[in-house]
Amino acid sequence: SSRRRHTRFRNVTGVQTCALPISLDANNLIIIQDQSLAKAYKLEFEEMWGSTTNMPNLTDSKFGPYKMDNTPHEFLIGGKRVQCFFSPSDNVTQQIVNTVQTANSQLFFEVLSFTRTDIAQEILNRVNGGVFAAGMMDDSANGGGPVFNIIASGIGNRMMLYNHTINPGILHHKYMIIDQDNPSSDPLVLTGSHNWSNSAQGKNDENIVIVHDANIANQYYQEFYKRFLVNGGLLGVADNNGPVSNYMLYPMPNNGSFYVQYQLKHDASGNVIIRDITGKEICNKSVNGKAGNNDLFLEQKQLNKGLYFVEMNFEGYKVTCKSVIQ
């Protein structure tokens, strides 16, 4: 964590429990079970501990800018590429910039403190290159500033400040999702404790992991989509004049089970069509949607692996989502 919170402890029959205000904050947790990655974190700990024993060595312990880049960064875990970097020794800002540069179709992010204009400019560069992007930052951290303006110049109202009137707590995330809709383009998630700030880059002891996995990327996207929607944002709409105000298709990829979440401005009847890559109609289902949030399940277990399109038609307006069956 990069923000200290008050914690109260009480002892009940010998067991310590705690009440954490952090439960109101937007956070994420990823658990990776791998011995080699655990050893990398152990190396980092021992550098700050100053010893490989149970006793710390204050003379040899190193923190912040005094640390060395002495841990491995590349791992193969469960057949997936995973990267790990520590601040400030591993130039994490450059790793974030490098990750942004890999985006070919989509880029989404949520960050507590975002002050690095080099990261913002690289996001704008990818947007100008045709990448669809959306993001949120916490307004309590720095109130937007130059970074917000740089990115908003390219994506407009898809760059948002976290609305504390709607959302209790703070936006404590520091994650980015790349190409979750494009399995052929190395979908990934970058997450960790490292804010996109000067302090994290040059002073703080932080970390990030970059997980190259389409399923993990899609799970993070589902969280991003819901939080962006609750915050008043709008994603994935082909024509804002139609009755559909938001939609999401998941999981990505899937095994023939399509889940569609969509939001209507008012009650509306329509149909949902699944087409293959040639445009052939596979399934056509009539739906009667209600104003607000709606859920739809379409199961097509007989379909072969490949790219499919889920088309939603309401009142003459159409929105289309891509999906991949593996």
Side-chain angles (χ1 to χ4, degrees):
S1 171
S2 59
R3 174 171 173 163
R4 294 186 181 128
R5 307 303 300 269
H6 294 294
T7 306
R8 292 185 293 106
F9 290 92
R10 60 188 178 91
N11 194 288
V12 181
T13 62
V15 178
Q16 282 191 323
T17 62
C18 61
L20 293 173
I22 199 170
S23 62
L24 297 176
D25 298 343
N27 287 288
N28 71 92
L29 169 69
I30 186 165
I31 300 173
I32 303 173
Q33 294 178 292
D34 181 75
Q35 188 176 52
S36 58
L37 184 62
K39 286 182 176 180
Y41 274 84
K42 183 172 181 284
L43 280 173
E44 183 75 5
F45 173 82
E46 289 173 345
E47 183 179 25
M48 294 185 287
W49 189 247
S51 169
T52 60
T53 71
N54 292 336
M55 293 297 296
N57 185 324
L58 299 182
T59 301
D60 293 339
S61 66
K62 297 179 177 63
F63 290 86
Y66 301 102
K67 293 190 304 183
M68 303 291 290
D69 180 0
N70 61 351
T71 59
H73 303 303
E74 292 282 344
F75 304 86
L76 188 64
I77 302 174
K80 305 295 183 179
R81 181 188 181 196
V82 176
Q83 297 168 275
C84 174
F85 301 95
F86 296 98
S87 311
S89 59
D90 300 352
N91 195 6
V92 172
T93 293
Q94 187 59 52
Q95 305 307 326
I96 297 172
V97 169
N98 293 346
T99 302
V100 170
Q101 291 172 344
T102 70
N104 290 312
S105 57
Q106 289 186 341
L107 187 156
F108 305 105
F109 64 88
E110 293 185 7
V111 184
L112 170 65
S113 180
F114 190 174
T115 61
R116 294 289 306 199
T117 57
D118 46 358
I119 300 176
Q121 186 60 54
E122 197 56 49
I123 292 174
L124 181 61
N125 291 344
R126 298 309 304 137
V127 169
N128 291 337
V131 170
F132 181 89
M136 279 198 296
M137 56 192 293
D138 196 286
D139 62 358
S140 66
N142 45 48
V147 159
F148 184 94
N149 295 331
I150 289 171
I151 301 176
S153 71
I155 65 175
N157 59 12
R158 293 198 308 274
M159 182 64 200
M160 301 186 71
L161 293 176
Y162 199 55
N163 188 331
H164 291 280
T165 302
I166 300 173
N167 304 291
I170 61 172
L171 184 71
H172 202 238
H173 288 306
K174 301 99 181 172
Y175 72 69
M176 173 167 50
I177 310 162
I178 298 290
D179 291 348
Q180 69 86 29
D181 71 329
N182 190 350
S184 66
S185 184
D186 188 22
L188 62 84
V189 167
L190 181 152
T191 189
S193 67
H194 182 103
N195 276 300
W196 300 0
S197 67
N198 292 329
S199 294
Q201 169 66 12
K203 296 189 300 182
N204 298 349
D205 295 290
E206 311 284 3
N207 75 108
I208 64 166
V209 290
I210 307 172
V211 182
H212 299 253
D213 181 80
N215 292 328
I216 298 298
N218 181 257
Q219 290 177 46
Y220 271 78
Y221 175 71
Q222 292 177 48
E223 196 280 340
F224 174 85
Y225 176 91
K226 181 63 177 292
R227 196 167 299 281
F228 198 82
L229 174 62
V230 169
N231 203 64
L234 191 66
L235 284 176
V237 175
D239 192 327
N240 288 345
N241 294 319
V244 180
S245 57
N246 280 282
Y247 71 89
M248 179 175 69
L249 174 67
Y250 67 95
M252 173 72 80
N254 67 61
N255 61 357
S257 296
F258 299 82
Y259 294 87
V260 183
Q261 290 183 345
Y262 62 98
Q263 188 178 66
L264 294 177
K265 300 173 185 175
H266 54 259
D267 292 358
S269 297
N271 64 318
V272 179
I273 301 171
I274 299 177
R275 300 183 187 275
D276 65 16
I277 196 170
T278 69
K280 179 183 177 181
E281 186 176 298
I282 304 297
C283 170
N284 190 325
K285 182 178 179 65
S286 297
V287 294
N288 295 308
K290 300 296 184 181
N293 294 321
N294 294 265
D295 294 286
L296 178 66
F297 173 65
L298 299 170
E299 188 168 40
Q300 300 291 316
K301 294 292 189 180
Q302 80 283 3
L303 295 181
N304 296 323
K305 296 179 181 180
L307 178 66
Y308 293 85
F309 299 91
V310 179
E311 177 184 302
M312 304 175 64
N313 299 279
F314 289 92
E315 299 177 353
Y317 293 93
K318 180 174 70 174
V319 293
T320 303
C321 316
K322 293 187 297 184
S323 187
V324 173
I325 293 181
Q326 286 188 348

